[in-house]
Amino acid sequence: MLDILSVGCREFARFLVLSPCAISRNINYNVKTVVTYAEALEAIESREFDACLVNFDLADKSGLDLIRKFAASEVSMPFILIADEEDDQVDVEAMASGAVDYFVKDQITAPLLRGAISYGIERKRTERRLAALAGFDELTGLANRTQFHRRLHQEIAVANRTGAQLAIFQLDLDRFKQINDTIGHMMGDHLLMKIAGCLRECCREIDTVARLGGDEFAVIATHFNDHDSVEMMARKILANISEPFTIVGHTVHASASMGITLYPNDEDNFERLLANVDMAMYRAKTDGGNSYRFFDANLNGEIKRQRRLGREMRRALEGKKFFAHYQPLFDTKSSRVVSAEALARWRHPSEGFICPDEFIPIAESASLIDRLGERMLRTACIDCKERQSQGLENIAVAVNVSPSQFRRSDIVGTAMRALRKSRLNPALLELELTEATVMQDFEEAANALQRLRNEGMRIAIVDFGTGYSSMTYLKHFPVDRLKIDQSFISGMETESGDRAITRAIIRLASGLGIDVTAEEVENQAQLEFLRSKRCNSVQGYLLGRPATLNEFVESISGQNSSLSVAS
Ligand code: C2E
Ligand code: CA
């Protein structure tokens, strides 16, 4: 049974209801007839119809006015316009106003009208489907950004009515660009589909799961008991994402940074809510990724500062505000300085020195770490060459390489450019990488390390002892130095375990013919212990703090080191 509204002409009803064809095809029409525009408005607003037949001439207005009024509204029924006479102008206007068809009264037959109604209904149905489709992300089938916003508005309205709480999660994959560059865009798309699957698995049917664009996803969770259950959900999502995925036979590792905000606790304004969750996510990213962060009011100021610093860093990297301090590394046997570690320094015009523990994560999240790394490599090589010209011929330089800088495979190219520009002997350049960095993509890392080594550079693994219980990987990597993690050095005096580990690392390194260095040596007792265990070299405030190039050169000219004072 189709409900038809007929406006301004009683004959339409007769056409449909009395049509023998309609009966034979088992279609029944229930026709409501009204005469005026005003009556039509009232009828349309009071109930739903499947289609509307409108006379061009109505007593109070034109039939076109009625069609126009509903063309852009939620009412999605088809309008068919019927005029007394043929008129090209009316034909054009009818279509422009949103009518699905137009007839001249004396040309109408029952089959024609019936056909127009079914076509109109079908067309409106298709339009509805397309509109619904427009709310979905084509790749993953999740809600898209528009749909997510729509749903959030709705959920806020429901929460306001019922007093319920909402949790909004926003997450962004860590290093997706690199993953995409490495495995290719097709595989990158597969990974996004897998992530979508993960999110669906961790959420309930009633939750909204959306892909906001690129590698950014969001979830609106509506029914949860307390803060803990939101936290549990966050942990579950992150754990699922960090499980290795198999994509076309390849194992792909991913992780995500997630921001969480609660409604109405954190904010009761839609835009602020979105800004808050975005800030929390940004913070999770600068915390190092693979983590979640709840929004809190302090974050606002913190994030603003970080974003400002990110912008200022971009400019500062062009100028002279970034430079290196050098911290000496002493040979325990000869008591001589054998190397200097370059440590990045940023002198901010209004805030003074900003410490690397703050600006390195900002550089990572603002995608400036490559530029900073390149800048440090160049500076370190040029300064090292400069030291040579001042008579310090054999003092090497060590440069820290951040995980993301290393994973971009152009680290070899960057280091080579720095060496060529400074004309420094590659054997005097040592690159410091954390254990976690080289372990992440084992084969690729081994490959890159080998290429660096083939070019004559040296490799140091830092934070050694913190990451991996199996140390057999050392056999596969060309490593020249291990730097024992400072946690073992600082715990050495009180923890027998730390002493045992330090001893074991020194022995392991010596067995493999690798140099071993203790970092952050702060007192005499630590130094004595390390010396007695034949640790090759030491570094720390006890012996020398990071200093400018000139101070460094001055302090070691003649090799009168503080180590001899200390011993
Ligand atoms: P790191 O590579 O472990 O560098 C050693 C840090 O410990 C330095 O801090 C140094 O000043 C400090 N330190 C040295 N001896 C002692 C000691 O005896 N006691 C104590 N408490 N601290 C000591 P800094 O310069 O603030 O650097 C912090 C971190 O920032 C570095 O840790 C490194 O991870 C990162 N960093 C610094 N410069 C660069 C760079 O050019 N590139 C990259 N990627 N990271 C850098
Ligand atoms: Ca270091």
Side-chain angles (χ1 to χ4, degrees):
M1 171 77 79
L2 294 177
D3 280 321
I4 309 293
L5 178 67
S6 153
V7 186
C9 185
R10 295 196 182 279
E11 289 151 50
F12 301 155
R14 228 173 303 132
F15 256 118
L16 293 170
V17 177
L18 302 179
S19 156
C21 299
I23 295 161
S24 69
R25 290 186 60 209
N26 209 16
I27 300 175
N28 287 320
Y29 296 93
N30 177 21
V31 184
K32 175 177 171 67
T33 301
V34 294
V35 178
T36 64
Y37 174 89
E39 287 169 358
L41 283 193
E42 199 185 325
I44 294 170
E45 272 154 12
S46 63
R47 56 174 271 223
E48 267 186 40
F49 293 93
D50 294 302
C52 180
L53 309 173
V54 194
N55 207 3
F56 181 80
D57 289 312
L58 301 178
D60 43 355
K61 271 198 170 186
S62 150
L64 281 177
D65 293 329
L66 185 72
I67 299 173
R68 280 193 203 104
K69 174 156 177 62
F70 290 104
S73 76
E74 301 274 320
V75 175
S76 67
M77 73 173 152
F79 288 87
I80 296 162
L81 187 75
I82 295 168
D84 286 332
E85 299 159 7
E86 187 128 28
D87 184 336
D88 285 348
Q89 184 62 26
V90 174
D91 191 350
V92 171
E93 277 183 32
M95 295 308 148
S97 64
V100 294
D101 220 335
Y102 162 71
F103 291 103
V104 176
K105 207 174 278 173
D106 58 14
Q107 293 169 2
I108 299 179
T109 62
L112 257 183
L113 197 55
R114 216 185 52 235
I117 290 174
S118 345
Y119 160 76
I121 291 174
E122 196 45 49
R123 184 174 135 183
K124 286 293 169 186
R125 214 175 266 152
T126 310
E127 280 175 13
R128 273 198 303 274
R129 254 198 312 260
L130 285 176
L133 267 181
F136 291 95
D137 170 51
E138 254 180 76
L139 178 69
T140 58
L142 299 179
N144 63 13
R145 185 183 287 270
T146 315
Q147 175 80 340
F148 171 73
H149 285 182
R150 210 180 289 149
R151 295 279 305 152
L152 186 56
H153 274 298
Q154 285 167 356
E155 294 297 357
I156 288 175
V158 173
N160 288 345
R161 241 190 359 260
T162 60
Q165 271 211 321
L166 304 178
I168 297 122
F169 303 75
Q170 185 174 314
L171 48 128
D172 183 271
L173 295 186
D174 302 326
R175 304 177 315 278
F176 182 65
K177 189 177 173 311
Q178 275 119 296
I179 297 178
N180 232 354
D181 289 349
T182 316
I183 65 177
H185 287 252
M186 281 259 287
M187 301 256 284
D189 281 355
H190 273 282
L191 176 63
L192 293 174
M193 289 193 268
K194 296 259 185 189
I195 302 289
C198 265
L199 288 172
R200 275 203 205 92
E201 253 173 51
C202 298
C203 301
R204 284 154 311 169
E205 283 282 310
I206 46 167
D207 298 337
T208 300
V209 183
R211 177 174 170 230
L212 303 181
D215 58 333
E216 207 168 283
F217 295 84
V219 174
I220 309 169
T222 45
H223 291 73
F224 53 88
N225 302 328
D226 48 26
H227 195 277
D228 285 354
S229 50
V230 176
E231 207 161 352
M232 237 159 66
M233 186 163 163
R235 280 209 204 97
K236 189 168 154 197
I237 292 175
L238 291 183
N240 267 24
I241 291 178
S242 54
E243 289 280 315
F245 295 100
T246 307
I247 298 174
V248 206
H250 294 265
T251 305
V252 180
H253 296 270
S255 65
S257 302
M258 179 192 282
I260 309 167
T261 191
L262 301 176
Y263 178 89
N265 284 24
D266 293 341
E267 190 61 57
D268 50 15
N269 162 296
F270 176 82
E271 271 77 27
R272 291 295 328 152
L273 206 59
L274 292 180
N276 290 355
V277 74
D278 191 58
M279 266 189 262
M281 183 181 84
Y282 180 82
R283 189 49 206 258
K285 206 158 259 297
T286 49
D287 281 349
N290 196 20
S291 64
Y292 61 88
R293 179 84 187 222
F294 277 89
F295 171 79
D296 73 69
N298 298 334
L299 217 53
N300 210 339
E302 250 179 76
I303 302 283
K304 274 198 186 136
R305 176 181 149 80
Q306 287 186 352
R307 290 201 165 144
R308 176 174 54 77
L309 287 179
R311 285 193 301 274
E312 289 168 348
M313 189 187 295
R314 197 174 293 276
R315 282 196 297 275
L317 278 168
E318 317 277 331
K320 294 211 158 97
K321 300 290 180 209
F322 271 95
F323 53 96
H325 271 183
Y326 294 96
Q327 186 178 28
L329 193 143
F330 293 84
D331 179 280
T332 26
K333 239 197 237 150
S334 68
S335 303
R336 295 173 85 84
V337 175
V338 286
S339 169
E341 177 177 357
L343 293 158
R345 294 293 177 261
W346 179 14
R347 194 187 301 114
H348 188 278
S350 58
E351 299 190 23
F353 276 108
I354 297 179
C355 76
D357 285 331
E358 179 172 16
F359 71 70
I360 298 280
I362 296 177
E364 301 242 11
S365 59
S367 302
L368 291 171
I369 194 68
D370 284 4
R371 275 164 64 184
L372 173 64
E374 178 149 18
R375 168 85 183 247
M376 283 302 291
L377 269 163
R378 218 172 33 200
T379 307
C381 291
I382 290 172
D383 286 354
C384 188
K385 192 74 186 171
E386 167 72 20
R387 283 198 299 267
Q388 286 189 317
S389 71
Q390 297 186 22
L392 304 177
E393 283 293 334
N394 296 318
I395 296 187
V397 68
V399 179
N400 291 282
V401 177
S402 88
S404 50
Q405 188 191 356
F406 179 71
R407 278 189 221 104
R408 297 180 63 96
S409 49
D410 62 356
I411 179 68
V412 186
T414 309
M416 288 306 293
R417 275 196 300 280
L419 285 168
R420 263 198 303 272
K421 191 149 177 127
S422 60
R423 302 178 49 211
L424 182 72
N425 174 1
L428 291 177
L429 176 61
E430 188 165 291
L431 300 181
E432 294 197 354
L433 296 139
T434 66
E435 199 177 5
T437 307
V438 295
M439 287 307 290
Q440 194 156 43
D441 260 313
F442 193 88
E443 267 174 45
E444 278 213 21
N447 208 314
L449 293 184
Q450 194 55 58
R451 281 165 44 227
L452 291 166
R453 177 61 104 52
N454 293 347
E455 298 293 349
M457 288 168 253
R458 288 170 53 92
I459 312 289
I461 302 287
V462 304
D463 298 349
F464 190 79
T466 52
Y468 296 86
S469 48
S470 158
M471 290 176 182
T472 52
Y473 75 87
L474 282 177
K475 283 196 305 194
H476 305 282
F477 284 151
V479 175
D480 301 282
R481 182 189 307 282
L482 296 182
K483 278 187 150 183
I484 307 171
D485 188 66
Q486 59 83 27
S487 59
F488 302 120
I489 311 298
S490 60
M492 188 180 275
E493 291 149 90
T494 48
E495 300 288 328
S496 61
D498 287 343
R499 283 195 297 277
I501 291 172
T502 304
R503 244 189 337 256
I505 296 175
I506 295 171
R507 230 177 276 143
L508 172 81
S510 130
L512 291 166
I514 297 173
D515 283 341
V516 62
T517 302
E519 284 191 292
E520 302 197 14
V521 176
E522 289 183 337
N523 61 47
Q524 198 65 36
Q526 291 167 346
L527 180 62
E528 291 311 324
F529 178 83
L530 292 160
R531 205 202 299 266
S532 71
K533 298 300 166 218
R534 292 187 168 56
C535 181
N536 304 116
S537 46
V538 284
Q539 195 181 4
Y541 288 173
L542 175 70
L543 310 162
R545 288 183 177 251
T548 62
L549 175 66
N550 286 342
E551 289 164 347
F552 177 79
V553 172
E554 258 171 47
S555 73
I556 59 165
S557 292
Q559 291 279 341
N560 287 326
S561 70
S562 49
L563 184 60
S564 40
V565 175
S567 57

